[in-house]
Amino acid sequence: DAAGKPVAGARLYVPVLLRTPPVSEDDVGTQVVGETADDGTYKVEIEKTEITRYLIVGAGGHAVGWANLEKAAGRFEATIKLGPDVPVAGRVIDTEGKPVAGAKVTVVGVYNPKDGKLDSFLTGWKNQWDDALHRVEDRMYMPLVSIHGDGRTDKDGKFTLKGVGVERIAQVEVQAAGRGKLSLYLVTRPGYDAGALNKAAADKIPPELRIPGQPPLLSGPKVEAILEGTKVIEATVT
């Protein structure tokens, strides 16, 4: 853990395809392959495939951890540190402020700054948002439904996420039937408000060059996600 003490009973996951060939993000999931012993050690055998890029570790009350397996071969040793977690709570509403029940909130990627601090990322986002993302090299692109829960909103549009960790960035997707999908980057710094930074990043783009969804929205750990309605397009292909 963050104090260097062993974490017993942490679950070990690897990515798997739930459908072959995959046709959507929902066809990628995780499978439990073991758990840590009382002294925090583990030993698992993993079949190497194109999708087994990570060994993912999850334990209650801790941030998710991972080891990159892309260069792993034969016997491979990885020590994984599970940092502290921060509660993430949010609400999904429509453009009229009404709650959207049953919306799916999914963490599809986690970015971990090398020095454990978000300051350089936040400064870079204000100056050049797309370059700021590339500067965070330790990242895991993987749906975390198996770890943080299904992320569905309740009747009041509320949801919670666990396991992202403190001082990290989570790429989150919010979607519901009949509404446009919203992508945002969740900054897990307690008490952080991204309003000023979102405005500063948007103001750097000339009005004639602005397109919906760029720059993406940043959010602190208290999330308000607004989903817009969609139009149904019908046609005949001959």
Side-chain angles (χ1 to χ4, degrees), residues 67-151:
N68 194 314
L69 302 180
E70 290 188 89
K71 297 182 180 179
R75 189 177 181 87
F76 183 75
E77 184 174 331
T79 298
I80 301 170
K81 184 176 181 179
L82 302 183
D85 197 17
V86 61
V88 175
R91 189 165 180 254
V92 180
I93 58 177
D94 61 18
T95 52
E96 297 178 348
K98 297 179 181 179
V100 178
K104 184 179 179 182
V105 184
T106 308
V107 178
V108 297
V110 180
Y111 297 64
N112 186 33
K114 186 174 293 184
D115 61 356
K117 299 292 183 182
L118 288 169
D119 299 275
S120 59
F121 167 80
L122 296 174
T123 301
W125 187 277
K126 180 178 180 180
N127 297 325
Q128 189 70 39
W129 68 267
D130 51 349
D131 186 54
L133 286 173
H134 294 154
R135 290 179 180 272
V136 185
E137 296 179 353
D138 186 14
R139 56 183 98 170
M140 176 179 62
Y141 295 113
M142 182 67 217
L144 298 183
V145 171
S146 302
I147 298 172
H148 70 62
D150 65 6

Side-chain angles (χ1 to χ4, degrees), residues 11-40:
R11 287 194 167 189
L12 309 171
Y13 304 80
V14 292
V16 293
L17 289 180
L18 305 179
R19 173 178 174 174
T20 305
V23 296
S24 75
E25 297 169 352
D26 293 335
D27 297 331
V28 180
T30 55
Q31 177 182 13
V32 177
V33 292
E35 64 179 42
T36 57
D38 290 342
D39 61 354

Side-chain angles (χ1 to χ4, degrees), residues 100-104 175-180 227 230:
V100 178
K104 184 179 179 182
Q175 50 190 323
R179 303 189 183 276
L227 294 186
T230 57

Side-chain angles (χ1 to χ4, degrees), residues 203-223:
D203 287 347
K204 290 186 71 69
I205 302 176
E208 66 273 14
L209 298 180
R210 294 175 187 172
I211 60 176
Q214 290 192 10
L217 287 176
L218 288 183
S219 174
K222 187 176 181 180
V223 187

